[in-house]
Amino acid sequence: MVGVRITVMSTAVVLVVILAVFVFILSEITPSELFEPVPDPDNLDINAITLLKAAVVLGVVLIALAGLLSWLVTRRAVRPLGEALRIQRSFVADASHELRTPLTVLDARLQILQRKLPADDPSADLVIELRRDTHSLIQIVNDLLESAEAVGSSGVDARVPTGLTPAVELAVESMKLIGAERSIAIELIAPVDASMYLSATSAHRCDVALLDNALRFSPEDSIVQVIVDVGKSTATVTVRDHGPGIRGIDPARIFDRFAHSGAAINFTISRATA
């Protein structure tokens, strides 16, 4: 793409030069003189049409040369970038493969523990939550592996809607334990039938990230609200806390990757639309 853009810009420059030659020649002669030969000191006869043809041929040659040179330069320039991307994908794929096996083993052990616990055991609900969190981690690892293999960032069909509310509920349940350590309650306001064209794992990851940020900067004994609003063609998830607000960073940069402020404040209201 870089080579094509360079070629297009070079073509535009050459066309401007050819057009300038046309305009200059036509402005210096009359129509009747257009086909008259021009005497040359070296006895070379040339007319305006021949000169214009020569300019066109020269322009085409220059365009072809510019395209070839831009292709060669671009290919050499992006080679290190391609190698870096290959190494990055290999690392993500290897890490995903290594993580998937112990997570699967962990889920199997939790399943065995769940079967051995009596129905009235107070730890049964905790084991269920642990298995649910393990499944979320396994799905995240699978998404990373698929992304590294260029299969896609999700295993679901983008044309098939999935449930948004269950993904938000799972994120809220997962983060309630962290909020309880600082006496921060999480309040969920969501319709039952909210849906989205996004994988449940991706939505869960976004919601957990927003809740983690809200809990980190909320004062103790406060409430974090998670609101799911369904419109005609969109479903919006709003995470609202009661922190001091955005400080120490340009508001236009708050959604940049790994952007953070110098102070201990990042977000007060964060929104993700599915």
Side-chain angles (χ1 to χ4, degrees):
M1 291 299 299
V2 175
V4 171
R5 291 174 182 176
I6 294 176
T7 302
V8 170
M9 290 186 290
S10 301
T11 301
V13 173
V14 172
L15 291 177
V16 170
V17 173
I18 294 177
L19 180 62
V21 173
F22 271 70
V23 173
F24 175 76
I25 293 177
L26 295 178
S27 65
E28 294 295 324
I29 62 176
T30 61
S32 59
E33 298 173 336
L34 186 60
F35 298 96
E36 294 181 357
V38 180
D40 186 80
D42 296 329
N43 297 324
L44 176 64
D45 292 337
I46 187 172
N47 55 36
I49 293 297
T50 304
L51 184 60
L52 293 177
K53 290 181 178 179
V56 171
V57 173
L58 179 61
V60 172
V61 173
L62 290 176
I63 291 173
L65 182 61
L68 178 61
L69 292 177
S70 63
W71 179 77
L72 292 174
V73 172
T74 305
R75 185 178 181 182
R76 175 168 295 185
V78 301
R79 189 175 299 166
L81 178 60
E83 181 64 18
L85 290 175
R86 186 192 65 79
I87 295 174
Q88 183 184 37
R89 285 189 173 183
S90 298
F91 171 77
V92 174
D94 293 341
S96 300
H97 275 295
E98 295 296 330
L99 288 173
R100 187 162 56 177
T101 299
L103 286 174
T104 304
V105 173
L106 177 61
D107 180 63
R109 290 177 177 175
L110 288 173
Q111 186 176 3
I112 295 174
L113 177 61
Q114 184 181 15
R115 291 175 179 176
K116 291 183 177 181
L117 289 176
D120 57 348
D121 194 297
S123 302
D125 292 337
L126 180 59
V127 174
I128 293 176
E129 293 178 359
L130 287 174
R131 287 202 64 195
R132 186 171 55 190
D133 294 339
T134 304
H135 289 163
S136 298
L137 287 174
I138 292 174
Q139 189 59 49
I140 291 173
V141 170
N142 290 336
D143 285 351
L144 289 174
L145 183 59
E146 291 179 356
S147 177
E149 294 175 348
V151 174
S153 60
S154 173
V156 300
D157 190 345
R159 298 169 296 179
V160 179
T162 56
L164 173 60
T165 302
V168 178
E169 291 177 346
L170 178 60
V172 170
E173 290 298 325
S174 301
M175 301 302 292
K176 276 185 176 180
L177 294 176
I178 299 178
E181 296 177 357
R182 299 178 54 204
S183 301
I184 301 176
I186 302 178
E187 178 184 2
L188 175 62
I189 304 174
V192 178
D193 57 349
S195 60
M196 59 183 173
Y197 291 96
L198 183 71
S199 70
T201 303
S202 298
H204 176 262
R205 291 168 61 186
C206 292
D207 297 332
V208 167
L210 294 176
L211 282 170
D212 177 69
N213 186 85
L215 294 174
R216 189 182 309 168
F217 303 117
S218 294
E220 294 184 359
D221 301 318
S222 63
I223 298 176
V224 174
Q225 290 182 321
V226 182
I227 304 171
V228 180
D229 185 23
V230 180
K232 293 182 179 180
S233 59
T234 60
T236 304
V237 178
T238 304
V239 178
R240 179 178 293 113
D241 63 62
H242 299 278
I246 302 172
R247 296 180 181 178
I249 188 174
D250 184 1
R253 293 186 56 248
I254 61 175
F255 290 107
D256 290 349
R257 186 173 180 83
F258 302 125
H260 60 85
S261 63
I265 306 296
N266 276 356
F267 299 93
T268 293
I269 301 178
S270 302
R271 175 171 294 178
T273 301

